[in-house]
Amino acid sequence: MTTNVAKGGEAKFTCKTTGDAEGTITFHKAADDTVVGSVVATPVTVAGVVTTTGVLTIAAAADSDSFEYYCKATWSGTEVKSGNVYLAVIGITATTPTAWGVNSKSAQFECKSDAILKKNAAGDALLDADGDDIRAAATITWEYYDTATTTWKATNEDNRFNIMS
Protein backbone atom coordinates (compact mmCIF):
# COMPACT_ATOMS: atom_id res chain seq x y z
CA MET A 1 0.00 0.00 0.00
CA THR A 2 1.21 3.51 -0.80
CA THR A 3 0.24 7.00 0.30
CA ASN A 4 1.27 9.85 -2.02
CA VAL A 5 1.86 13.39 -0.73
CA ALA A 6 3.22 16.55 -2.33
CA LYS A 7 6.60 17.70 -1.06
CA GLY A 8 5.92 20.19 1.72
CA GLY A 9 2.42 18.79 2.24
CA GLU A 10 0.98 16.94 5.20
CA ALA A 11 0.66 13.16 5.41
CA LYS A 12 -1.36 11.37 8.10
CA PHE A 13 -1.35 7.71 9.05
CA THR A 14 -4.11 6.35 11.28
CA CYS A 15 -3.99 3.17 13.35
CA LYS A 16 -6.87 1.73 15.42
CA THR A 17 -6.84 -0.99 18.02
CA THR A 18 -9.73 -2.54 19.92
CA GLY A 19 -9.41 -4.44 23.17
CA ASP A 20 -10.25 -4.65 26.84
CA ALA A 21 -7.87 -1.78 27.71
CA GLU A 22 -6.45 1.34 26.12
CA GLY A 23 -3.73 0.53 23.61
CA THR A 24 -0.37 2.19 23.08
CA ILE A 25 0.17 2.99 19.42
CA THR A 26 3.54 3.66 17.83
CA PHE A 27 4.66 4.05 14.22
CA HIS A 28 7.93 2.61 12.97
CA LYS A 29 10.27 2.71 10.01
CA ALA A 30 9.94 -0.76 8.48
CA ALA A 31 13.60 -1.01 7.42
CA ASP A 32 15.02 -0.90 10.94
CA ASP A 33 12.02 -0.86 13.34
CA THR A 34 12.92 2.58 14.74
CA VAL A 35 10.05 4.55 16.23
CA VAL A 36 9.17 7.62 14.15
CA GLY A 37 7.37 10.75 15.24
CA SER A 38 4.95 11.15 18.08
CA VAL A 39 1.42 9.80 18.01
CA VAL A 40 -1.71 11.47 19.30
CA ALA A 41 -3.85 8.64 20.70
CA THR A 42 -7.57 8.89 21.46
CA PRO A 43 -9.33 6.13 23.43
CA VAL A 44 -13.12 5.61 23.30
CA THR A 45 -14.91 3.03 25.49
CA VAL A 46 -18.27 1.55 24.48
CA ALA A 47 -19.82 -1.38 26.41
CA GLY A 48 -16.45 -2.25 27.96
CA VAL A 49 -14.60 -2.34 24.62
CA VAL A 50 -11.85 0.25 24.25
CA THR A 51 -10.99 1.52 20.77
CA THR A 52 -7.77 3.50 20.62
CA THR A 53 -7.06 5.57 17.52
CA GLY A 54 -3.53 6.85 16.94
CA VAL A 55 -2.58 9.37 14.27
CA LEU A 56 0.94 10.07 13.04
CA THR A 57 1.18 13.42 11.25
CA ILE A 58 4.12 14.19 8.99
CA ALA A 59 4.07 17.94 8.41
CA ALA A 60 6.10 19.48 5.58
CA ALA A 61 6.84 16.09 3.99
CA ALA A 62 10.34 15.82 2.53
CA ASP A 63 12.14 13.28 0.38
CA SER A 64 13.73 11.91 3.58
CA ASP A 65 10.23 10.86 4.74
CA SER A 66 9.82 8.50 1.75
CA PHE A 67 10.01 5.03 3.24
CA GLU A 68 7.80 2.21 4.51
CA TYR A 69 6.04 2.67 7.83
CA TYR A 70 4.08 0.30 10.02
CA CYS A 71 1.97 0.73 13.13
CA LYS A 72 2.34 -1.28 16.33
CA ALA A 73 -0.37 -1.49 18.98
CA THR A 74 0.30 -2.93 22.44
CA TRP A 75 -2.11 -3.48 25.32
CA SER A 76 -2.51 -5.94 28.19
CA GLY A 77 0.57 -7.92 27.14
CA THR A 78 -0.60 -8.19 23.53
CA GLU A 79 1.26 -6.73 20.56
CA VAL A 80 -0.02 -6.41 16.98
CA LYS A 81 1.80 -5.00 13.93
CA SER A 82 0.10 -3.64 10.82
CA GLY A 83 1.24 -4.22 7.27
CA ASN A 84 3.65 -1.75 5.75
CA VAL A 85 2.59 1.42 3.94
CA TYR A 86 4.99 3.37 1.74
CA LEU A 87 4.98 7.18 1.77
CA ALA A 88 5.84 8.58 -1.67
CA VAL A 89 6.76 12.27 -1.59
CA ILE A 90 6.13 13.90 -4.96
CA GLY A 91 8.11 17.03 -5.65
CA ILE A 92 9.70 19.36 -8.13
CA THR A 93 12.41 17.56 -10.12
CA ALA A 94 13.77 20.46 -12.18
CA THR A 95 13.38 24.21 -12.54
CA THR A 96 14.86 26.88 -14.75
CA PRO A 97 17.57 28.82 -12.98
CA THR A 98 17.12 32.58 -12.74
CA ALA A 99 16.09 33.97 -16.11
CA TRP A 100 16.05 37.55 -17.25
CA GLY A 101 13.71 38.91 -19.89
CA VAL A 102 13.67 41.91 -22.13
CA ASN A 103 10.79 44.38 -21.84
CA SER A 104 7.96 43.48 -24.29
CA LYS A 105 9.68 40.19 -25.23
CA SER A 106 9.09 36.75 -23.83
CA ALA A 107 11.07 34.66 -21.36
CA GLN A 108 10.52 31.00 -20.72
CA PHE A 109 10.68 29.26 -17.35
CA GLU A 110 10.36 25.56 -16.77
CA CYS A 111 9.18 23.64 -13.74
CA LYS A 112 9.03 19.83 -13.83
CA SER A 113 7.51 17.45 -11.34
CA ASP A 114 7.41 13.70 -10.99
CA ALA A 115 3.65 13.77 -10.60
CA ILE A 116 3.22 10.04 -11.20
CA LEU A 117 1.45 8.41 -8.27
CA LYS A 118 3.53 5.58 -6.82
CA LYS A 119 2.22 2.20 -5.72
CA ASN A 120 5.26 0.89 -3.84
CA ALA A 121 8.72 1.67 -2.48
CA ALA A 122 10.31 0.61 -5.79
CA GLY A 123 8.67 3.66 -7.37
CA ASP A 124 6.45 1.69 -9.74
CA ALA A 125 3.66 3.83 -11.15
CA LEU A 126 0.05 3.37 -10.14
CA LEU A 127 -1.85 2.41 -13.31
CA ASP A 128 -5.39 3.07 -14.46
CA ALA A 129 -7.68 0.47 -16.07
CA ASP A 130 -6.00 1.09 -19.46
CA GLY A 131 -2.52 0.47 -18.04
CA ASP A 132 -1.50 4.17 -18.19
CA ASP A 133 0.36 6.00 -15.41
CA ILE A 134 -1.90 7.91 -13.03
CA ARG A 135 -0.62 11.44 -12.57
CA ALA A 136 -1.42 13.85 -9.78
CA ALA A 137 -3.32 16.98 -10.68
CA ALA A 138 -1.10 20.04 -10.42
CA THR A 139 -1.67 23.74 -10.15
CA ILE A 140 1.18 25.95 -11.24
CA THR A 141 1.46 29.55 -10.13
CA TRP A 142 4.22 32.07 -10.58
CA GLU A 143 4.94 35.33 -8.84
CA TYR A 144 7.03 38.26 -9.93
CA TYR A 145 8.50 41.18 -8.06
CA ASP A 146 6.90 44.46 -9.11
CA THR A 147 9.54 47.14 -8.57
CA ALA A 148 6.95 49.92 -8.94
CA THR A 149 4.99 48.74 -5.90
CA THR A 150 7.85 46.81 -4.23
CA THR A 151 5.59 43.79 -3.78
CA TRP A 152 5.37 40.24 -5.08
CA LYS A 153 2.39 39.69 -7.36
CA ALA A 154 0.71 36.63 -8.76
CA THR A 155 1.22 36.41 -12.51
CA ASN A 156 -2.53 36.49 -13.10
CA GLU A 157 -3.06 39.85 -11.37
CA ASP A 158 -2.38 42.00 -14.42
CA ASN A 159 -2.55 39.60 -17.40
CA ARG A 160 1.12 40.14 -18.24
CA PHE A 161 2.01 36.45 -18.07
CA ASN A 162 0.62 33.25 -19.54
CA ILE A 163 1.08 29.82 -18.02
CA MET A 164 1.34 27.08 -20.64
CA SER A 165 1.11 23.42 -19.78
Side-chain angles (χ1 to χ4, degrees):
M1 177 176 274
T2 300
T3 295
N4 291 273
V5 65
K7 187 180 288 185
E10 180 179 88
K12 289 188 178 203
F13 293 113
T14 302
C15 184
K16 283 187 177 186
T17 183
T18 303
D20 58 357
E22 181 178 339
T24 299
I25 296 175
T26 52
F27 286 85
H28 302 259
K29 188 175 181 177
D32 59 11
D33 296 322
T34 56
V35 174
V36 292
S38 58
V39 177
V40 176
T42 308
V44 175
T45 304
V46 176
V49 177
V50 181
T51 300
T52 307
T53 303
V55 177
L56 172 68
T57 301
I58 300 168
D63 291 335
S64 60
D65 296 314
S66 291
F67 51 83
E68 289 185 311
Y69 296 80
Y70 70 87
C71 154
K72 183 176 9 176
T74 55
W75 71 103
S76 304
T78 302
E79 177 179 294
V80 177
K81 279 177 52 175
S82 71
N84 294 350
V85 62
Y86 177 70
L87 179 63
V89 178
I90 299 171
I92 303 299
T93 57
T95 60
T96 300
T98 303
W100 296 93
V102 177
N103 192 19
S104 78
K105 302 295 180 188
S106 66
Q108 183 174 340
F109 302 88
E110 187 172 71
C111 179
K112 293 182 180 178
S113 173
D114 176 11
I116 298 172
L117 298 182
K118 309 294 189 285
K119 68 177 179 180
N120 57 32
D124 296 331
L126 198 60
L127 304 176
D128 65 15
D130 296 327
D132 296 326
D133 295 347
I134 297 176
R135 297 184 177 270
T139 301
I140 300 170
T141 59
W142 292 92
E143 292 183 333
Y144 69 95
Y145 188 75
D146 184 345
T147 55
T149 63
T150 65
T151 59
W152 284 95
K153 291 186 175 181
T155 58
N156 61 356
E157 283 185 26
D158 59 11
N159 297 319
R160 291 177 45 202
F161 298 88
N162 292 320
I163 297 175
M164 301 166 52
S165 53

